[in-house]
Amino acid sequence: MNHWIIAPVVLPALLAPLLVLLARHDLRAQRLLSGAGTVLFAALAGVLLAQSSSGEIGVYRLGNWPAPFGIALVVDRLAALMLALTAALALAVLAHVLGTGWDARGRHFHALFQFQLMGLAGAFLTGDAFNLFVFFEVMLIASYGLMIHGGGRARLRAGVQYVVMNLAGSVLFLFALGTIYAVTGTLNMADLAVRAAAIPASDAALLRVGAVLLLLVFAIKAALVPLQFWLPATYANAPGPVAALFAILTKVGVYAILRLFTLGFGPSSAASDIGGTLLLPAAGVTLLIGMTGVLGARDLGRMAAFSVIGSIGTMMLGVAVFTPAATGAALFYLIHSTLVAGALFLTADLVRGQRGSLSLAPRPRFASHGLLAAVFFVVAIGVAGMPPLPGFLGKLMILDAVRAVPGGWAIWASILVGSLMAVAGLARAGAAVFWETTPEEAAAPSQPLALAGVAGLLTVLVGLSLAAGPVSAWLNAAAASLYAPAPYIAAVLAGGAG
């Protein structure tokens, strides 16, 4: 049994209470412990990514209880990828926080940050649908605390809306799990794949109800239309680094859809057709609404939030086809969109610190005006999906993968029109912030450590472009394994001796 698998969950789970109990009055100690813990978290993610690259399925059975009776954590290529993506984003966010001093504007930022990493790691590694619910709730509690960090009426109002919406999703989640358990007698994902395929026709309708409810829950998490309305206010009012970290939260919903609807509700299940039927039109509308928001936003915060919605739509157009080629392309775009969204939120926060506002109304020039203009230009290229950053390649891969799909022309039209809208909206925002300025006046000094977070994300994106070939091959292998889940099922349901 590979004990490294549980380490990314245990490490932040232990570190968070230690930060509260031992260092709650010492910000320097909090920064040191949180920084060391995040670096170690990233190292653990790297180890698991390397181990999974051979195609090996790692399983950790808590208490050595065999599945489906015990709790199992499972790491394959997809889970390891999501864990590594979380770690990369967390390092950049932490660098920004330390550089700008955001952690000093409220209490217990670093403890909440670690609890958020725990929830994310657990959600990506769990092999059980009920424990996915548990880790969703850990993420919800931690993200609410981070959301209102620093206070403010607008932030509190957006935080309440965020919590109410997600609590409604949690109730739906429990109904879905209860329905599925009543039909199949299990919530272990691998065991569910076996039992769902053997469901008699008399119970097929109930299984489909459970699948639809789960899809609604994950659509809320992923901010798919018509359940996206909570995201713009939440992300726009959250502290900049928190919004950047939240860029991975919507991907938890995408991950859960991929995992459950290729494994538990795979081709042999009575609910196998639900995912694509409902997701494809929702994804197209999500893309166009998101990019319309980018085009019409009046401040950088809301523009960044709507760009997240647009990127989810683009990504889900690939996912909803449910073929290995389209899923591999969607995963490539997922990496890009997560990192570039984080970079956009961090850049917007730097602009706010220098300019005093995120509004697109003309304001005085500020310190580091030219440098931040250059950074924004590069990030905007990435958000719009223009070369040479990898978003362009991701969109091309998705377009190529859906050519033979019925109605593929609609997917092409949605992506191309959405890209054009993104270019126009980002160009308008850049001109308003960096070109239409009033006479220069003194402003805040630059913050090089904070800029290092954005620079790190952009460096990873450039590296992704340069290594697009081997990365794409790796992701295609990860996607192929999702549609051939027999090794995953065999590894999880093997005996508990490890």
Side-chain angles (χ1 to χ4, degrees):
M1 187 146 48
N2 185 353
H3 293 276
W4 288 113
I5 297 174
I6 198 173
V9 180
V10 171
L11 173 65
L14 293 177
L15 189 57
L18 287 177
L19 285 166
V20 175
L21 294 174
L22 302 180
R24 62 182 179 273
H25 300 303
D26 189 342
L27 183 58
R28 182 176 297 179
Q30 290 182 41
R31 290 172 171 175
L32 181 62
L33 287 172
S34 184
T38 305
V39 170
L40 186 54
F41 180 91
L44 291 169
V47 168
L48 293 178
L49 186 67
Q51 290 180 350
S52 67
S53 292
S54 64
E56 176 186 355
I57 309 294
V59 181
Y60 183 87
R61 303 176 181 88
L62 275 74
N64 211 24
W65 282 81
F69 309 107
I71 298 172
L73 300 180
V74 188
V75 60
D76 61 354
R77 284 189 179 98
L78 179 59
L81 168 68
M82 300 306 295
L83 199 63
L85 195 57
T86 301
L89 192 60
L91 288 172
V93 168
L94 193 60
H96 183 93
V97 166
L98 298 181
T100 58
W102 258 110
D103 53 347
R105 304 184 193 186
R107 296 176 62 83
H108 307 308
F109 175 90
H110 291 285
L112 291 167
F113 182 79
Q114 294 299 321
F115 273 128
Q116 187 77 84
L117 293 184
M118 171 198 170
L120 288 165
F124 293 137
L125 292 173
T126 185
D128 184 276
F130 182 78
N131 285 289
L132 181 61
F133 165 78
V134 171
F135 286 115
F136 268 32
E137 296 311 295
V138 172
M139 287 191 297
L140 173 61
I141 295 169
S143 60
Y144 177 67
L146 291 170
M147 168 71 202
I148 62 172
H149 182 79
R153 178 173 296 182
R155 192 168 294 160
L156 183 61
R157 186 185 302 114
V160 170
Q161 173 184 307
Y162 170 73
V163 168
V164 170
M165 187 65 186
N166 279 274
L167 284 177
S170 298
V171 173
L172 274 180
F173 205 163
L174 285 176
F175 276 119
L177 293 178
T179 302
I180 292 169
Y181 188 80
V183 178
T184 63
T186 187
L187 291 176
N188 179 279
M189 296 180 194
D191 196 39
L192 178 62
V194 175
R195 299 196 187 193
I199 289 294
S202 58
D203 290 332
L206 200 55
L207 181 67
R208 290 171 67 85
V209 168
V212 169
L213 289 175
L214 273 185
L215 191 61
L216 284 174
V217 172
F218 301 147
I220 292 173
K221 302 296 182 183
L224 276 169
V225 168
L227 302 168
Q228 87 296 345
F229 56 84
W230 61 270
L231 188 145
T234 300
Y235 281 42
N237 287 290
V242 173
L245 183 64
F246 282 7
I248 193 70
L249 293 188
T250 51
K251 308 311 184 294
V252 178
V254 176
Y255 168 85
I257 289 171
L258 269 175
R259 180 66 74 192
L260 264 298
F261 285 86
T262 58
L263 181 62
F265 306 115
S268 56
S269 164
S272 60
D273 63 323
I274 287 175
T277 302
L278 297 178
L279 285 177
L280 200 54
V285 178
T286 301
L287 167 59
L288 295 178
I289 285 181
M291 292 314 174
T292 300
V294 170
L295 189 60
R298 297 183 179 180
D299 66 75
L300 284 180
R302 291 188 70 84
M303 187 195 71
F306 275 108
S307 76
V308 171
I309 295 176
S311 70
I312 287 292
T314 303
M315 188 189 319
M316 290 308 300
L317 284 172
V319 171
V321 174
F322 284 105
T323 64
T327 299
L331 290 177
F332 189 94
Y333 189 79
L334 181 148
I335 298 173
H336 161 81
S337 64
T338 302
L339 297 179
V340 82
L344 182 57
F345 280 112
L346 295 182
T347 302
D349 191 61
L350 291 174
V351 171
R352 189 209 314 256
Q354 295 286 312
R355 194 169 179 256
S357 170
L358 290 177
S359 170
L360 299 186
R363 293 182 67 87
R365 288 173 62 89
F366 48 88
S368 303
H369 182 277
L371 178 60
L372 284 181
V375 170
F376 178 83
F377 176 73
V378 175
V379 173
I381 287 175
V383 173
M386 302 291 288
L389 291 184
F392 177 72
L393 298 173
K395 288 183 179 181
L396 283 180
M397 292 175 189
I398 293 174
L399 292 173
D400 182 61
V402 302
R403 281 186 303 170
V405 174
W409 65 269
I411 298 177
W412 274 65
S414 297
I415 292 178
L416 295 176
V417 171
S419 298
L420 181 61
M421 295 169 71
V423 170
L426 290 160
R428 181 182 67 92
V433 173
F434 299 104
W435 185 266
E436 298 171 2
T437 57
T438 58
E440 187 173 0
E441 67 176 29
S446 60
Q447 298 163 318
L449 181 58
L451 195 59
V454 179
L457 293 177
L458 292 178
T459 300
V460 175
L461 288 169
V462 171
L464 183 59
S465 289
L466 296 175
V471 171
S472 178
W474 192 95
L475 294 173
N476 287 334
S481 68
L482 289 175
Y483 295 91
Y488 183 102
I489 296 170
V492 174
L493 298 183

